[in-house]
Structure formats: C-alpha cells, structure tokens
C-alpha cells in the first residue's frame, strides 16, 4: 500500500509540472497565436505533451483499479464477515468440511480395542496326493467370542474339521492347543475351544443394520504369521452378495474393499464402534478390493448353543430352493410375487414333506421372519432345535397358506 501511494504522488507531480498551454508552448508561440487565430486553432491538434497527459491519466486509472482490487480482496472479507453478510457461506463450509484425521482416529481406536481378541490359528492336515498321504500346514485367523476360550473362525481354516492338529496363538505369543467343537462347510464357519479363561472377548454387532459406505476394519494374519494382526480399513462396498467357492454357493455376504488376503480368513470385520459385523472368508483374486465376510447375525444363535451345550446340531428341513427374483431372472418368467424362495425339491419323508410342503411352493416367511434366499432360511433354522415347531407362510397356486412344520430330525 505504501509503495502504491508513492507512485500516485509521483504522477500528481508530473501533472502539476505542465499546468496549461502557455507553459507547454513558450512565449514566442503565444505571440504567434495572438497574431494568427487560424494558426492557434491548429496548434492544439499538434500538442504532443497532451498525449503524454492522457497516458498519465490512463496509468493513474490502472493503478487505482489494481489498488481497489487488492483492497476489496484483503479488507472485503473482514467487512462482510463482521457485518453478518457472509454467515450463510460460512455455515455451508462448516457443514461439509471433512477432517481426514477423523477416519484415522476411528481405525486406530477400533484396532486398539480388538487387537487382543484376534488370534492366529495353525493347523496340520493330512491330504491325499496321488498314491501317498502328506501333511499340509495351514494358517488362518480367529476371534474370541467368549472369555472362557471359545473362538470363532472359518470352517476351511480348521480343515473342515479334519485337521490332525490345531494350535491357537494369542497376542502375547502363547500357543495353546485347540479343539473343533462345531463346523459347517456350507456356511464356512467353525467354533474352536481352548483350555483358557478370562480371555478378552470381542463385542458382536448387528450385521442386519449395515449400510453401504460404512467404515469397515479387518484384522488378521495375511500371508502367514510373519504379519500377525495386520489392520486394513475400507468401507462396506455391498450387501447380500452371492459367490461360488469350491462348488459351494455362499449367499448374503458382506462385500468390502478392506484388504483381505490368504491368512485373513476367520478374522473379524469390524464397524466404527469396534463391533464384529462379519467373519472374513474369501477374496476374489481376479479383482482388487473384492473381499467378502459372513454376516455375524447368521452365527449368533450357534455361538450361544455351542457355549451352553458344547456343540450345535442344525435341524433338518429337507428342501432345496432358490430366491424368487433369481428364479425369475434365470428362466425369464414372472411369478405372482417377487419375494420369498421357490422350493425346487422336497426330500421324501423329511420334516417339510411330512408337513405337506411340496415343490413349486413359495416360502415367504418362517415365524414372521421374512425369507428371500436359502441363506435366510438357513439362518432362521439355526434358531431351532429338534422337537421345535415353526409356521411357514407360503404361496401355492397363487394363494397364501400357512403350514406348521415339526422339526423331528437334525443334520
């Protein structure tokens, strides 16, 4: 500002140095003008000094414009802010301001609160190779779900129950022998027991309330025990995903872009509150950021039964089916409803057959619990035990009916 004022003063001095025509032209020129009026009219057109004056005016205007712009940029925001005219803009900026440190803090807090609940699992499994048997070592992850030594993991981590030996490795490095109490290859889940108490159990969340875009944190042992309890973070990329792994169709999975690699299997997927929302099971190798987890709500009833009874036996229904939407899309037909599952096969003399269910029936709900996939049905059946009954809401030939099924058998 000070330098700009000095320039203005210099321009003013130049203008005062040439105040009028007499000064510009000298005394002789004035005498000639007084003698010849015609000549005096022509002289102003030849004045070169006035051209310089116009340039000076232009320069002054240009400097003034520059100064005005600087003043408006520097002083203007303060004036408008203090006067309250800028309050709306400031409110919008504050509402949508993102602080990168918030997510980092959340991930660190989730990891810190659950690190001691994540364990490593090593196994030795005997496998057939051509004409000989060989021992194959495996490694995976697990999460403590009960302080009395109960650990949740994948079925394939424990060799689908066929492991010759199994050890659990805790955060402090202690290695303890474990025993498989229950496993189900069709849902890739297993429960392991170790002879220890007072363990830090993880808190289980609600996978049914998940929304796409939520924070997702995975903890596990990727690529073996050299990278124990590695933490990766991302978001819930999708819900109710269906994939096929080793000829087994897995439905209603949680998709996440949190990095999941070999060895992460069986480890927990956690939400921003540090709650277990899923058990990591598989990564699609053909694409990046395509990891999948089994919803924790599927196994909550099993955990309770295994802890209280030492094992779990699912009731037998005796049916196979497919979701109505998938059925319609595959065959290109339109049914009377878009909800439920359509029964493709009803096994003879099974509980479903004995209750009167038959192929082509559409099951919409079981005891008011909505059913839209075979995984939904399987999750519901985990809640029942031998001797229990359930009301099946079905559609048969376009008409709604209710059929009571008595679970007389277990798998």
């Amino acid at each position: 500002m000070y330098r700009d004022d000095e320039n203005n003063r210099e321009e003013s001095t130049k203008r005062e140095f040439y105040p009028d025509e007499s000064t510009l032209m000298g005394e002789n020129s004035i005498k000639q003008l007084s003698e010849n009026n015609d000549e005096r009219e022509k002289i102003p057109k030849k004045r070169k000094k006035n051209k310089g004056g116009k340039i000076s005016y232009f320069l002054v205007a240009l400097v003034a414009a520059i100064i005005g712009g600087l003043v408006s940029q520097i002083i203007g925001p303060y004036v408008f802010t203090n006067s309250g005219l800028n309050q709306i803009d400031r409110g919008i900026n504050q509402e949508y301001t993102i602080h990168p440190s918030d997510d980092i803090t959340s991930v660190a807090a989730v990891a810190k609160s659950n690190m001691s609940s994540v364990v490593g699992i090593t196994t030795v499994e005997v496998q057939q190779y051509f004409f000989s048997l060989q021992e194959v070592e495996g490694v995976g992850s697990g999460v403590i779900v009960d302080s009395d030594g109960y650990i949740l993991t994948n079925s394939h981590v424990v060799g689908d129950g066929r492991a010759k030996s199994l050890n659990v490795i805790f955060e402090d490095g202690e290695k303890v022998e474990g025993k498989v109490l229950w496993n189900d290859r069709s849902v890739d889940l297993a429960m392991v027991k170790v002879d220890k108490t007072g363990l830090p159990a993880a808190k289980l969340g609600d996978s049914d309330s998940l929304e796409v875009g939520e924070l997702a944190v995975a903890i596990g042992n990727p690529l073996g025990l050299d990278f124990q309890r590695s933490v990766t973070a991302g978001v819930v990329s999708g819900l109710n995903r269906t994939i096929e792994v080793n000829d087994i169709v897995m439905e209603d999975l949680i998709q996440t872009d949190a990095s999941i690699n070999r060895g992460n299997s069986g480890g927990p997927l956690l939400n921003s509150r540090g709650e277990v929302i899923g058990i990591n099971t598989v990564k699609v190798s053909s694409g990046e950021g395509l990891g999948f987890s089994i919803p924790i709500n599927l196994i909550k009833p099993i955990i309770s039964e295994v802890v209280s009874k030492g094992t779990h036996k699912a009731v037998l229904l005796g049916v196979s089916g497919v979701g109505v939407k998938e059925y319609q899309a595959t065959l290109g037909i339109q049914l009377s409803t878009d909800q439920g599952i359509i029964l493709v096969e009803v096994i003879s003399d099974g509980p479903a057959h004995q209750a009167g269910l038959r192929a082509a029936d559409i099951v919409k709900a079981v005891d008011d619990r909505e059913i839209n996939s075979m995984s939904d049905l399987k999750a519901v059946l985990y809640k029942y035990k031998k001797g229990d009954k359930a009301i099946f809401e079905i559609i048969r030939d376009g008409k709604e009916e209710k059929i009571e099924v008595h679970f007389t058998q277990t798998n």
Side-chain angles (χ1 to χ4, degrees), residues 88 147 153 174 198 238 242 252-253 267 288 312 322 337 355 364:
I88 295 178
S147 60
T153 186
E174 182 182 6
T242 299
D252 295 335
L253 299 179
E288 291 298 325
H312 170 80
V322 64
T337 180
K364 293 184 61 179

Side-chain angles (χ1 to χ4, degrees), residues 141-145 151-157 187-190 202 204 207 218-219 250 253-254 260 264-270 276-282 291-297 299 303:
S141 307
V143 58
I144 302 169
V145 292
I151 297 165
L152 177 61
T153 186
N154 289 142
S155 179
H156 77 262
V157 169
V187 291
D188 196 25
L189 289 169
L204 306 185
S207 56
I219 305 178
M250 302 181 68
L253 299 179
I254 302 167
I260 296 176
N264 274 110
S265 295
L269 187 70
L270 306 147
V276 179
I277 53 174
I279 299 299
N280 301 323
T281 181
V282 68
F292 296 90
S293 298
I294 304 162
I296 194 63
N297 284 15
I299 196 174
I303 295 173

Side-chain angles (χ1 to χ4, degrees), residues 117 143-153 179 181 191-196 199-202 303 305-311:
S117 299
V143 58
I144 302 169
V145 292
D146 186 90
S147 60
D148 287 335
Y150 293 89
I151 297 165
L152 177 61
T153 186
K179 177 183 179 182
L181 297 181
M191 288 285 291
V192 174
K193 178 71 168 63
V194 294
D195 189 16
K196 283 181 70 68
L199 297 176
I303 295 173
E305 187 173 350
V306 171
V307 170
S308 62
K309 298 183 178 180
T311 190

Side-chain angles (χ1 to χ4, degrees), residues 73-93:
Q73 291 182 10
I74 297 172
I75 299 176
Y78 295 99
V79 174
F80 286 119
T81 300
N82 293 333
S83 64
L85 297 178
N86 200 37
Q87 291 300 315
I88 295 178
D89 289 340
R90 289 200 302 164
I92 292 176
N93 290 337

